[in-house]
């Protein structure tokens, strides 16, 4: 690479050798070949220089360090076809060598985990071009998640909305003069609006939590007190279902946290335990201090399946552990890994839930650098264990 030439826009190739580089405003001749090569090696994206000769055909004559790692070939002298396996990419390179026109092409690399790439092809001169590869897998994944999320949220709202529209129509026509039917339908409509309200509230909570997920919380919160407040709030529901909450705590369980968010965690876990418990049962909530991660993760049930839904990095940190145990039907093994996904509900068992409760729990705990474990014994109950960094006692 004696002379550095580059394309300045589509189809416009130029030579900066004796002119000022527009980016750094220095004469390009000041940039030694060694410095230019070093610069290319510092780039995270694979960069290749491809040249066509009658004798060898299209060959890779240079690759930066990222290209060496990516292709795992002794690069200078490799035929283009040996390195670039995707027909669409190979075709674009050959085409650009022939026509001298720049091109961009998106392609997928094959492997256990497919990755998505975009190649930028920029001709340098006749029969020579630069190829830059950019890994767009993460961006594609995020885009996909956002699209799925929107589709799911719209679907979840559309179902109760369609049901409401149907009942409005019935009330206007067939049930117009039928008082008992009207009462019944209005009851169902109230239920559906309640469902939509819950869904929107959960969606708003989730987006608020995500917005500040990277900011560590700083307050001191006693989880035992939080539980007492949550239990007071659902007293009428507990009375209606004949369910009691048995609390086991030695004293306060103070963690570093955001109180409102931790109320949501405890509320969602206790709500689920109550919702999936048989009438008249008891829900157990136990608090315990663990001196390190291993102790916090110790199993609490003797049988069943255990799965970690979230594991923090800090192994030597002291944690406050809260375990919410019920004697309901438990959760079948195959559902466990997906429990904290947004909108995931075990079919036919959700009891009007939004499927967002555990997603909220997981995001809040993640912001607090804590962990979440589920243990389930089918037919005998489930235990959700959340643990959060203990506040240092001063
Ligand atoms: P939902 O609002 O539907 O309860 P969650 O995210 O809180 O949503 O829970 C997801 C699913 O996990 C629920 O639909 C339910 O099937 C299952 N689940 C959660 N907690 C329990 C529990 N304690 N016992 C049995 N199943 C549970």
């Amino acid at each position: 690479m004696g002379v550095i030439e580059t394309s300045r826009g589509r189809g416009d190739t130029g030579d900066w050798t004796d002119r000022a580089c527009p980016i750094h405003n220095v004469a390009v001749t000041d940039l030694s070949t060694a410095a230019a090569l070093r610069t290319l090696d510092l780039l995270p994206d694979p960069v290749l220089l491809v040249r066509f000769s009658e004798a060898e055909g299209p060959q890779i004559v240079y690759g930066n360090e990222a290209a060496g790692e990516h292709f795992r070939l002794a690069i200078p002298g490799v035929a283009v076809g040996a390195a670039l396996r995707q027909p669409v990419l190979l075709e674009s390179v050959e085409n650009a060598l022939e026509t001298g026109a720049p091109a961009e092409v998106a392609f997928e690399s094959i492997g256990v985990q497919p990755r998505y790439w975009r190649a930028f092809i920029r001709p340098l001169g006749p029969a020579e071009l630069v190829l830059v590869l950019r890994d767009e897998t993460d961006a594609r994944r995020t885009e996909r998640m956002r699209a799925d999320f929107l589709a799911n949220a719209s679907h979840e709202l559309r179902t109760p909305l369609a049901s409401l529209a149907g009942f409005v129509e019935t009330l206007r026509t067939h049930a117009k003069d039928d008082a008992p039917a009207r009462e019944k339908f209005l009851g169902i409509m109230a239920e559906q609006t309640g469902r939509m309200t819950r869904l929107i509230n959960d969606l708003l909570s989730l987006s608020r939590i995500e917005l500040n997920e990277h900011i560590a919380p700083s307050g001191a919160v006693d989880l035992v007190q939080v539980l007492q407040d949550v239990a007071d709030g659902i007293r009428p529901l507990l009375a209606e279902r004949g369910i009691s909450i048995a609390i086991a705590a030695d004293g306060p369980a103070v963690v570093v946290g955001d109180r409102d968010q931790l109320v949501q965690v405890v509320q969602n876990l206790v709500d689920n335990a109550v919702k999936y418990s048989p009438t008249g049962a008891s829900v157990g909530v136990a608090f315990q201090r663990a001196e390190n991660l291993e102790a916090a993760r110790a199993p609490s049930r003797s049988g069943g399946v255990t799965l970690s839904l979230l594991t923090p990095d800090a192994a030597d940190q002291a944690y406050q552990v809260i375990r919410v145990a019920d004697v309901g039907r438990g959760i079948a093994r195959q559902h466990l890994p997906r429990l904290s996904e947004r909108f995931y509900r075990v079919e036919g068992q959700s009891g009007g839930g939004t499927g967002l409760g555990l997603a909220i729990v997981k995001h809040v705990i993640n912001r607090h650098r804590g962990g979440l474990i589920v243990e389930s014994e089918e037919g005998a109950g489930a235990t959700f264990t959340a643990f959060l960094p203990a506040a240092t006692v001063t």
Side-chain angles (χ1 to χ4, degrees):
M1 269 201 12
V3 174
I4 298 175
E5 290 178 337
T6 187
S7 157
R8 290 168 295 146
R10 282 163 190 260
D12 171 21
T13 51
D15 183 354
W16 291 341
T17 317
D18 295 319
R19 282 179 273 152
C21 164
I23 301 170
H24 302 294
N25 201 24
V26 292
V28 172
T29 38
D30 291 350
L31 193 64
S32 69
T33 306
L37 290 175
R38 189 77 203 112
T39 306
L40 286 167
D41 277 340
L42 291 174
L43 295 178
D45 297 335
V47 178
L48 298 174
L49 183 64
V50 177
R51 193 174 288 152
F52 176 83
S53 72
E54 288 297 341
E56 313 280 357
Q59 270 204 330
I60 297 175
V61 292
Y62 165 80
N64 67 350
E65 265 179 30
E69 272 165 36
H70 177 70
F71 291 105
R72 303 203 174 278
L73 294 168
I75 275 184
V78 171
V80 165
L84 311 179
R85 299 305 186 96
Q86 286 69 27
V88 54
L89 178 59
L90 199 54
E91 204 174 288
S92 302
V93 166
E94 284 170 350
N95 200 29
L97 283 169
E98 218 171 289
T99 62
E104 258 179 54
V105 50
F107 64 95
E108 205 175 312
S109 63
I110 324 131
V112 190
Q113 293 272 332
R115 299 200 73 82
Y116 300 94
W117 295 88
R118 181 171 297 274
F120 299 87
I121 300 166
R122 297 289 182 261
L124 279 181
E128 200 173 41
L129 58 78
V130 170
L131 175 70
V132 182
L133 296 179
R134 183 166 301 157
D135 188 344
E136 295 192 330
T137 314
D138 289 345
R140 277 280 291 264
R141 199 169 290 148
T142 313
E143 210 173 279
R144 184 63 189 268
M145 273 169 60
R146 195 169 303 156
D148 283 353
F149 176 68
L150 266 180
N152 282 331
S154 315
H155 174 79
E156 294 287 336
L157 282 168
R158 203 161 53 185
T159 313
L161 203 55
S163 143
L164 278 181
F167 283 119
V168 167
E169 192 49 34
T170 313
L171 287 173
R172 274 181 163 161
T173 53
H174 313 304
K176 204 170 173 183
D177 303 312
D178 183 345
R182 223 168 37 218
E183 255 334 280
K184 185 175 154 211
F185 294 156
L186 285 172
I188 303 174
M189 288 167 78
E191 227 170 76
Q192 298 291 359
T193 37
R195 177 170 171 70
M196 286 168 73
T197 309
R198 277 200 303 280
L199 193 62
I200 288 169
N201 286 341
D202 280 357
L203 283 170
L204 287 173
S205 293
L206 201 53
S207 87
R208 264 197 303 268
I209 293 161
E210 277 184 327
L211 275 180
N212 66 9
E213 201 160 349
H214 57 284
I215 307 166
S218 55
V221 183
D222 175 12
L223 291 178
V224 179
Q225 187 59 51
V226 167
L227 172 74
Q228 246 127 25
D229 294 349
V230 166
D232 284 346
I234 57 169
R235 206 177 288 273
L237 173 72
L238 294 174
E240 188 187 310
R241 305 263 333 270
I243 290 179
S244 56
I245 296 185
I247 305 175
D250 289 338
V254 186
V255 299
V256 183
D258 173 323
R259 190 171 198 284
D260 289 348
Q261 289 192 345
L262 293 176
V263 167
Q264 276 185 297
V265 167
V266 175
Q267 175 100 48
N268 289 354
L269 293 179
V270 171
D271 275 354
N272 278 349
V274 171
K275 190 157 63 175
Y276 301 109
S277 279
T279 308
S282 170
V283 166
V285 183
F287 295 89
Q288 192 191 340
R289 185 185 158 95
E291 289 314 319
N292 55 38
L293 180 61
E294 200 190 336
R297 298 182 59 183
S300 71
R301 297 184 90 101
S302 51
V305 199
T306 303
L307 186 82
S308 212
L309 296 172
L310 180 69
T311 308
D313 294 329
D316 295 327
Q317 159 84 50
Y319 292 97
Q320 291 290 357
V321 183
I322 167 172
R323 288 184 211 283
V324 182
D326 63 63
V327 293
R329 59 197 152 200
I331 307 152
R333 174 193 289 263
Q334 71 269 24
H335 297 295
L336 297 183
R338 303 195 56 193
L339 281 187
S340 55
E341 274 177 30
R342 292 155 191 207
F343 301 113
Y344 190 78
R345 282 168 296 206
V346 177
E347 216 160 297
Q349 288 191 3
S350 172
T354 61
L356 292 171
L358 290 175
I360 291 174
V361 167
K362 184 172 165 175
H363 278 280
V364 170
I365 296 180
N366 188 39
R367 180 185 173 212
H368 286 72
R369 305 276 176 270
L372 179 65
I373 295 170
V374 54
E375 293 166 87
S376 163
E377 282 179 82
E378 259 195 283
T383 301
F384 284 83
T385 300
F387 49 94
L388 299 141
T392 36
V393 191
T394 48

